[in-house]
Amino acid sequence: MTEKVALVTGAANGIGKATAKRLARDGIAIGVLDLLEDGAAAVAGEIEQSGGKAIALAADVSDRESVQAALARLRDAFGPVTIVVNNAGITGFVPFLELTDEDWDRMLAVNLKSAFIVTQEIIPDMIAAGWGRIVNISSSSAQSGAVKMAHYSSSKGGMIALTRTLAQEFGEHNITCNAVPPRFVHNTAMSNESFEREDMKERFQAMVDAGPIRRHGEPEDIAGAVAWLVSDEAGYVTGQVIGVNGGRYI
Ligand code: NAP
């Protein structure tokens, strides 16, 4: 095959950054997409310094025109895009009775509508190539529920439903679609904000201690799973929810 091209969203930080670097190490040219150009450019620069290929793309994944413009730049640089990792996301902690329509709509737009927009814009490249890989970064909160996170866990649950649907709709084109729902991945901007909250700290630590593998995850734990899911080896794996979560059952 000719060189593969991947778009990784939310790739300036945390899990997205680790994933972009890992896929680049595997010889894939990367569109490093994030809200701000500076963060994306720093990661693209790290990849290039290590001998990989990358381009920084500033875009808002919840805005179709912004995504289309970023994809045009990526295709100009490296060609058709046949791998997408929908990773960009935001979080939030609001008791259910205090959630506003605005809270709900923003969460669903950034975390779920984004995967609809980005994937819909890329799938034609995959169909033309007769090969494609979609990985949606969900959350273990979609499987278990999460206190004060109704809007977040609902957005992530939607990603799992979207994953199973796309797997069925596009499997005939040799396109796979899988979800990775992480749990407690440390050293990311999101987790630093979440785990340090006074009202959640003890609860989160107790949940980590209760798991079979008694540590937080690292961004590289998720990146490793994504790297396998986008590889040729994983071509018979689709519609799956691959928990990379230290052994959580629900
Ligand atoms: P992170 O460090 O905050 O990274 C998320 C990235 O997404 C940030 O660079 C952020 O940019 C970017 N982003 C936010 N809104 C965007 C938008 N509208 N358009 C483009 N980029 C946008 O978080 P992370 O912990 O690595 O999380 C990555 C994914 O894993 C998220 O979807 C998250 O829900 C999921 N996840 C994480 C954990 C965990 O324990 N860390 C657990 C379960 C699920 P800014 O910084 O500029 O806002």
Side-chain angles (χ1 to χ4, degrees):
M1 255 189 93
T2 53
E3 182 179 72
K4 289 173 183 158
V5 179
L7 179 74
V8 182
T9 70
N13 289 295
I15 292 169
K17 175 179 175 177
T19 300
K21 291 172 75 171
R22 171 59 200 266
L23 299 192
R25 255 186 21 230
D26 291 346
I28 298 167
I30 310 291
V32 178
L33 185 149
D34 213 288
L35 267 180
L36 302 177
E37 179 86 30
D38 283 0
V43 175
E46 282 183 46
I47 289 172
E48 283 172 339
Q49 274 178 5
S50 310
K53 283 191 179 175
I55 180 173
L57 304 166
D60 177 349
V61 286
S62 64
D63 179 295
R64 188 177 289 272
E65 281 183 15
S66 175
V67 168
Q68 284 171 335
L71 282 170
R73 290 187 58 210
L74 179 55
R75 290 184 181 111
D76 276 353
F78 299 133
V81 184
T82 55
I83 298 171
V84 59
V85 183
N86 287 307
N87 165 79
I90 54 174
T91 191
F93 296 85
V94 184
F96 181 69
L97 293 178
E98 293 169 22
L99 269 176
T100 64
D101 288 358
E102 290 72 28
D103 292 333
W104 182 271
D105 289 346
R106 177 154 185 270
M107 189 66 78
L108 272 285
V110 176
N111 286 5
L112 182 58
K113 188 180 177 194
S114 58
F116 156 60
I117 291 173
V118 171
T119 310
Q120 197 181 49
E121 291 293 330
I122 291 177
I123 279 184
D125 284 10
M126 299 181 178
I127 292 174
W131 189 96
R133 297 283 187 266
I134 303 161
V135 180
N136 293 323
I137 305 300
S138 174
S139 162
S140 65
S141 67
Q143 300 162 300
S144 62
V147 172
K148 298 183 189 172
M149 299 181 88
H151 53 341
Y152 178 80
S153 59
S154 298
S155 71
K156 294 298 184 176
M159 275 190 126
I160 291 176
L162 179 67
T163 297
R164 293 197 166 124
T165 300
L166 296 183
Q168 291 178 43
E169 205 163 326
F170 294 101
E172 66 179 300
H173 298 285
N174 205 18
I175 296 170
T176 68
C177 182
N178 294 287
V180 175
R183 178 194 188 214
F184 295 139
V185 176
H186 247 196
N187 298 319
T188 79
M190 182 183 288
S191 61
N192 291 344
E193 180 194 324
S194 306
F195 302 154
E196 296 312 314
R197 287 175 59 94
E198 279 313 314
D199 59 334
M200 306 300 264
K201 222 169 173 176
E202 254 182 52
R203 183 188 180 89
F204 281 155
Q205 192 55 52
M207 288 166 81
V208 169
D209 291 343
I213 295 184
R214 293 189 189 146
R215 66 166 174 87
H216 292 97
E218 297 295 335
E220 290 72 19
D221 290 319
I222 308 303
V226 174
W228 178 69
L229 285 170
V230 306
S231 72
D232 282 321
E233 277 184 323
Y236 199 50
V237 178
T238 195
Q240 302 303 309
V241 179
I242 310 288
V244 182
N245 57 24
R248 182 179 189 161
Y249 294 110
I250 58 161

